[in-house]
Amino acid sequence: SSGINAEYGVRFMEDSFPEGDFMSNVGNIQLRMIKRFHEDEKYKQDERFLNVLLSLAGNAENGLEVYSFCHFHKLMTTYRKFWESWIHACVYDEKFKRAMVV
């Protein structure tokens, strides 16, 4: 399945090119995956896709926007890990007020 191959590709890139390496293109690969899969109902609650989204949110400058995008498109909203990660990101960014709303 293309979801399994895409997740393998991201893991391969993460392992092959450490964070900050000029050859690392993981963020771009993750963004392309999100564009490809976010409208496909069978992937909206797929744990493999969740791991890609959480990885992107954790490494992006605008990680909170990744969570907002997921919430708006009803991606991964059935996973406790999604909500915990979003709240943690809000707290980490010192946005306590927003974290309490989530």
Side-chain angles (χ1 to χ4, degrees):
S1 120
S2 58
I4 292 171
N5 292 336
E7 183 181 22
Y8 173 79
V10 169
R11 283 191 186 155
F12 173 80
M13 290 294 290
E14 288 174 338
D15 292 343
S16 299
F17 304 106
E19 184 177 341
D21 187 307
F22 77 97
M23 294 290 288
S24 177
N25 202 17
V26 174
N28 289 332
I29 292 171
Q30 291 170 326
L31 287 173
R32 284 197 318 239
M33 286 178 61
I34 290 168
K35 287 178 184 177
R36 162 69 176 86
F37 295 118
H38 86 275
E39 292 182 354
D40 190 331
E41 287 298 320
K42 73 179 183 179
Y43 292 108
K44 284 192 172 199
Q45 302 301 325
D46 187 308
E47 190 168 13
R48 296 168 298 179
F49 194 28
L50 170 67
N51 292 331
V52 170
L53 290 167
L54 293 181
S55 175
L56 179 63
N59 293 308
E61 279 185 33
N62 55 351
L64 291 177
E65 290 181 23
V66 175
Y67 292 106
S68 294
F69 174 87
C70 291
H71 185 256
F72 179 79
H73 291 283
K74 296 180 179 27
L75 299 172
M76 309 306 136
T77 54
T78 61
Y79 287 98
R80 177 180 174 174
K81 186 175 180 181
F82 169 80
W83 296 105
E84 289 174 343
S85 296
W86 190 359
I87 291 169
H88 177 74
C90 289
V91 170
Y92 183 78
D93 280 359
E94 299 179 343
K95 297 192 182 208
F96 300 105
K97 187 175 180 181
R98 187 167 183 184
M100 296 316 258
V101 172
V102 173

